[in-house]
């Protein structure tokens, strides 16, 4: 299979690998939501891809996201040879073996730690056709990436580059006795709250309380939401200027929910409110006593 498509363009494609720990007491999704765990799990993923795709080139991690109970890893391939080698490694079990080895070493886990995997390209479950390499490659090629690389991934890549030039950080040790924040929860002011999709009541409460600060919250949300990047915030302000601050804030959060779907979680809004120094509004939305 050539490195170029029939129309002469470069070959690209996208696949998502879903990971779930089968080891009691270890939740990859919960670990990734913590700052130290996030970096180490990202390093595990990078090392696994390096081992299975034949080096550091030919692919790019676009996003690592919550696909409860899985940790979803979206990978863009820009080299058909790297994609083919990855598929062969995945089919043979080499990807799983590499993933387990790096996780045990970097997370300080027992050797019997193991992970359950799924591989998809768009709606296609590639685990069902791994014996047909050409078919898998075609599915991946047809599943073109819908987003640019996430800003969080850019930050993790920079961390990884800095680590390569400086002293290595301490290994994160995970034990069965630890109780990380569950994957369906988040922590705010040292309290754990159940995470959920934003509701119309949340939108109303936010719109009533945010006032002139809605733009700051919008830009904070825009760090992880493409629909709110660039001139989107200023366009909303201009379009709904006559309707007032409530309507501007209402339209902001409505656009966020429309763009992100089930990923428009309460935790993301609370984090954006914290970044905007609006902790009192976050407390109010969470029903915390003053």
């Amino acid at each position: 299979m050539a490195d170029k498509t029939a129309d002469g363009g470069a070959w690209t494609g996208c696949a998502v690998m879903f990971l779930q720990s089968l080891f009691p007491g270890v939740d990859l999704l919960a670990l990734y939501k913590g700052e130290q765990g996030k970096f180490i799990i990202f390093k595990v993923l990078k090392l696994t891809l390096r081992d299975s795709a034949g080096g550091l080139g030919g692919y790019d991690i676009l996003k690592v996201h919550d696909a409860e109970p899985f940790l979803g890893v979206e990978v863009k391939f820009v080299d058909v040879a790297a994609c083919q080698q990855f598929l062969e490694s995945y089919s043979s079990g080499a990807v799983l073996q590499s993933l387990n080895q790096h996780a045990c070493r970097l997370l300080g886990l027992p050797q019997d730690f193991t992970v359950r995997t799924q591989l998809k390209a768009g709606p296609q479950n590639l685990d069902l056709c791994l014996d047909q390499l050409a078919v898998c490659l075609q599915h991946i090629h047809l599943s073109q990436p819908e987003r640019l690389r996430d800003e969080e991934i850019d930050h993790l890549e920079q961390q990884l580059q800095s680590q390569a030039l400086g002293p290595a950080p301490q290994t994160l040790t995970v034990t069965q006795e630890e109780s990380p924040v569950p994957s369906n929860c988040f922590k705010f002011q040292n309290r754990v709250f159940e995470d959920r999709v934003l509701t119309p009541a949340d939108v109303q409460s936010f719109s009533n309380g945010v006032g002139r600060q809605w733009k700051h919250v919008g830009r904070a949300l825009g760090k992880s939401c493409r629909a709110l990047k660039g001139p989107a915030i200023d366009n909303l302000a201009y379009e709904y200027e006559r309707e007032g601050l409530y309507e501007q804030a209402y339209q902001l959060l409505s656009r966020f929910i429309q763009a992100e779907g089930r990923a428009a979680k309460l935790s993301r809004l609370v984090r954006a409110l914290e970044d905007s120094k609006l902790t009192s509004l976050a407390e109010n939305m969470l029903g915390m006593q003053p």
Side-chain angles (χ1 to χ4, degrees):
M1 197 166 183
D3 286 337
K4 291 186 179 293
T5 58
D7 61 2
W11 191 95
T12 59
C14 192
V16 182
M17 183 165 59
F18 296 91
L19 309 173
Q20 181 185 24
S21 166
L22 298 179
F23 193 82
V26 179
D27 186 336
L28 295 178
L29 188 56
L31 285 170
Y32 187 79
K33 289 181 178 180
E35 282 305 312
Q36 189 180 10
K38 185 188 299 290
F39 173 72
I40 293 181
I41 288 180
F42 180 74
K43 186 174 181 180
V44 169
L45 297 173
K46 289 286 289 187
L47 291 171
T48 300
L49 281 168
R50 181 202 63 184
D51 295 346
S52 58
L56 296 173
Y59 58 86
D60 192 14
I61 296 178
L62 296 182
K63 187 176 180 66
V64 179
H65 58 88
D66 181 344
E68 189 178 1
F70 293 91
L71 184 69
V73 186
E74 185 173 347
V75 182
K76 175 185 178 182
F77 291 95
V78 295
D79 176 17
V80 68
C83 184
Q84 179 171 328
Q85 184 163 343
F86 171 80
L87 282 171
E88 291 172 346
S89 299
Y90 184 89
S91 178
S92 68
V95 168
L96 184 59
Q97 182 180 4
S98 177
L99 188 68
N100 289 341
Q101 288 177 348
H102 291 305
C104 288
R105 179 172 60 86
L106 293 175
L107 292 168
L109 296 171
Q111 291 301 310
D112 56 345
F113 170 79
T114 188
V115 172
R116 173 189 174 198
T117 65
Q118 289 183 12
L119 186 64
K120 292 188 175 182
Q124 303 295 330
N125 185 348
L126 301 185
D127 293 276
L128 303 178
C129 55
L130 289 173
D131 57 337
Q132 304 173 66
L133 184 60
V135 172
C136 290
L137 283 170
Q138 183 67 9
H139 285 319
I140 290 175
H141 176 53
L142 291 175
S143 176
Q144 291 296 311
E146 298 178 353
R147 59 168 63 91
L148 301 174
R149 188 164 71 177
D150 195 84
E151 288 182 359
E152 180 178 75
I153 301 301
D154 283 333
H155 177 67
L156 290 168
E157 290 279 8
Q158 290 168 8
Q159 271 189 275
L160 204 55
Q161 293 290 335
S162 299
Q163 187 195 82
L165 300 174
Q170 294 182 341
T171 298
L172 173 66
T173 302
V174 180
T175 65
Q176 287 179 263
E177 288 72 31
E178 286 184 359
S179 299
V181 178
S183 59
N184 63 336
C185 298
F186 66 97
K187 184 176 278 190
F188 174 70
Q189 294 189 351
N190 294 320
R191 288 177 58 181
V192 176
F193 295 88
E194 182 179 358
D195 204 2
R196 55 174 173 74
V197 177
L198 291 168
T199 66
D202 295 323
V203 178
Q204 187 172 8
S205 179
F206 169 80
S207 305
N208 277 321
V210 71
R212 296 182 180 277
Q213 301 300 313
W214 71 269
K215 282 189 177 182
H216 296 289
V217 180
R219 293 190 177 98
L221 288 171
K223 293 177 182 178
S224 61
C225 175
R226 290 189 66 188
L228 299 179
K229 291 186 184 295
I233 305 298
D234 292 331
N235 289 344
L236 279 172
Y238 177 77
E239 187 175 353
Y240 295 97
E241 182 179 10
R242 291 187 178 181
E243 283 81 357
L245 295 174
Y246 175 90
E247 187 63 24
Q248 290 171 329
Y250 184 93
Q251 293 296 332
L252 167 76
L253 210 51
S254 296
R255 183 163 299 187
F256 173 68
I257 293 171
Q258 183 179 9
E260 297 295 307
R262 295 190 62 81
K265 296 290 188 72
L266 178 62
S267 59
R268 294 175 69 182
L269 178 57
V270 169
R271 195 177 308 121
L273 289 170
E274 277 192 286
D275 292 345
S276 305
K277 310 292 190 250
L278 294 171
T279 53
S280 59
L281 179 55
E283 291 169 354
N284 181 54
M285 294 189 67
L286 293 170
M288 297 174 65
Q289 293 295 325

